[in-house]
Amino acid sequence: MNELETRQLRYFVAVAEELNFGRAAERLGIAQPPLSRAIREIERQLGVRLFQRTTRQVTLTRAGEVLLGDARTALDAVSAAGRRARHAGEPTQKLRLALKADVDGGLLPAILREYAREEGALPVALVLGRYGEQAQAVRDGRADAAVLLGPFDERGLDSEQLVTEPYLIAVAADAPLAARTSVRLADLAGWELPDGSPADQGLDAAHGGPGVARARPSGQGRDPGQGRDRDQPSAAAQDSSDLPQIFKLIELGSAVCFFPASLTRRYPRPEIAYRPVEDHAPATLSVVWPERSRRPAVAAFVRAATKVAEAARPEPGTPRAAT
């Protein structure tokens, strides 16, 4: 059996993720017939069927599911090898840290100060991105470490939890929910998350960051008698990494959003009320680095992050500061 090439793996992953040959071909920038031939050639080389094809749908076989996980890992490793080699050849060495702006539990300044005191510390270059991109940036070599909210895809990564904190729900200050001192998930019935799932199910493994929710046209969100225009742009169509845009949607009463408590302290706004969600799992902030990494600068950063986080944790029985 001939070894598969990276080009073949890229073709396979595109089809496996899209489960549609037309969309996969468009994503790859090639025509559909050569893509179909390439997949048949991979199946011939491996001696197994990777996809079940009908006139209506394409699904992965068990062999295809196994190959998908390994193919993603292999492609990440190839990308990481090239990037890390280029980084190692640069005249000024740096530690590249992946981060979503403002999602650091308020710890980043202290972590960077502590890291600068560590033996083997390097200048830090921030790799800023959207929610959910940080783990992949470490896997494919764009970053050497990351500070991120869980849950995240742990493939090829080691991690250490730093802090946990509650999620708060952000609502318009004059909304009925704002009159409560706290809410439960059931109180969010009638609101949706960006992917269309109900807000009353909270954030789960499908959401790596704050969840924007919009009221259903006939929903139970804002009281229609309050005079707000219910025909606001769908929050589902908004970029959930664009905080000014999200805040405006919340203020107008067309959206609610889950935020970690530390982020709400950074953005007090008179038009927005933040309320604890009693039965929502907490937000967990972690430091993440490549599995089996031996870089002294990475180890020093992890030590600094865990030291600062340990010092920031309240003593058992100490009440949290009000938000």
Side-chain angles (χ1 to χ4, degrees), residues 249-320:
L249 289 167
I250 297 168
E251 291 167 10
L252 293 174
S254 60
V256 299
C257 188
F258 293 98
F259 287 125
S262 58
L263 193 148
T264 69
R265 290 191 288 270
R266 289 183 177 182
Y267 294 101
R269 301 170 76 95
E271 303 87 356
I272 294 177
Y274 300 110
R275 297 292 179 262
V277 185
E278 297 175 8
D279 52 346
H280 199 296
T284 300
L285 188 75
S286 297
V287 59
V288 170
W289 64 96
E291 195 174 44
R292 296 184 295 277
S293 172
R294 296 294 182 267
R295 288 192 64 191
V298 172
F301 183 82
V302 174
R303 285 195 302 272
T306 53
K307 182 177 180 180
V308 168
E310 181 64 32
R313 294 183 190 125
E315 294 295 327
T318 302
R320 288 184 177 269

Side-chain angles (χ1 to χ4, degrees), residues 82-93:
R83 286 193 176 101
R84 289 173 186 151
R86 287 195 297 272
H87 295 164
E90 293 176 352
T92 301
Q93 294 296 293

Side-chain angles (χ1 to χ4, degrees), residues 33-99:
L35 176 59
S36 297
R37 289 195 295 271
I39 296 300
R40 288 196 296 270
E41 175 59 21
I42 296 171
E43 291 178 322
R44 186 197 66 77
Q45 285 182 241
L46 297 179
V48 295
R49 293 284 298 274
L50 300 173
F51 297 98
Q52 293 289 350
R53 307 166 180 83
T54 69
T55 56
R56 293 188 174 184
Q57 64 178 358
V58 176
T59 57
L60 281 167
T61 64
R62 174 59 184 156
E65 291 173 354
V66 170
L67 181 59
L68 178 57
D70 288 341
R72 284 170 169 161
T73 300
L75 290 174
D76 286 342
V78 170
S79 295
R83 286 193 176 101
R84 289 173 186 151
R86 287 195 297 272
H87 295 164
E90 293 176 352
T92 301
Q93 294 296 293
K94 300 174 183 177
L95 179 86
R96 291 168 171 81
L97 176 65
L99 189 75

Side-chain angles (χ1 to χ4, degrees), residues 58-251:
V58 176
T59 57
L60 281 167
T61 64
R62 174 59 184 156
E65 291 173 354
V66 170
L67 181 59
L68 178 57
D70 288 341
R72 284 170 169 161
T73 300
L75 290 174
D76 286 342
V78 170
S79 295
R83 286 193 176 101
R84 289 173 186 151
R86 287 195 297 272
H87 295 164
E90 293 176 352
T92 301
Q93 294 296 293
K94 300 174 183 177
L95 179 86
R96 291 168 171 81
L97 176 65
L99 189 75
K100 170 68 183 80
D102 294 325
V103 182
D104 61 2
L107 301 179
L108 185 60
I111 291 173
L112 294 180
R113 288 193 297 271
E114 182 65 30
Y115 176 61
R117 291 192 282 267
E118 285 276 348
E119 183 178 355
L122 297 174
V124 175
L126 295 182
V127 180
L128 297 177
R130 301 172 188 270
Y131 289 105
E133 293 182 349
Q134 289 69 42
Q136 181 59 27
V138 176
R139 266 193 298 272
D140 66 22
R142 285 176 289 151
D144 304 305
V147 172
L148 49 73
L149 279 178
F152 57 89
D153 183 351
E154 300 180 9
R155 285 183 302 112
L157 303 175
D158 283 330
S159 65
E160 186 76 33
Q161 288 189 4
L162 298 178
V163 294
T164 60
E165 56 179 333
Y167 271 114
L168 307 187
I169 192 74
V171 302
D174 59 351
L177 286 175
R180 308 184 185 193
T181 57
S182 65
V183 301
R184 298 184 66 83
L185 287 172
D187 299 327
L188 301 177
W191 299 83
E192 291 179 356
L193 295 177
D195 61 2
S197 59
D200 56 4
Q201 292 184 3
L203 299 178
D204 56 25
H207 305 91
V212 177
R214 61 182 174 86
R216 300 174 190 270
S218 58
Q220 306 165 17
R222 174 179 295 280
D223 179 355
Q226 290 182 309
R228 299 278 190 173
D229 180 5
R230 298 286 295 182
D231 191 22
Q232 298 294 342
S234 166
Q238 306 302 317
D239 178 3
S240 63
S241 295
D242 187 338
L243 283 178
Q245 212 173 38
I246 298 310
F247 286 142
K248 180 56 65 176
L249 289 167
I250 297 168
E251 291 167 10

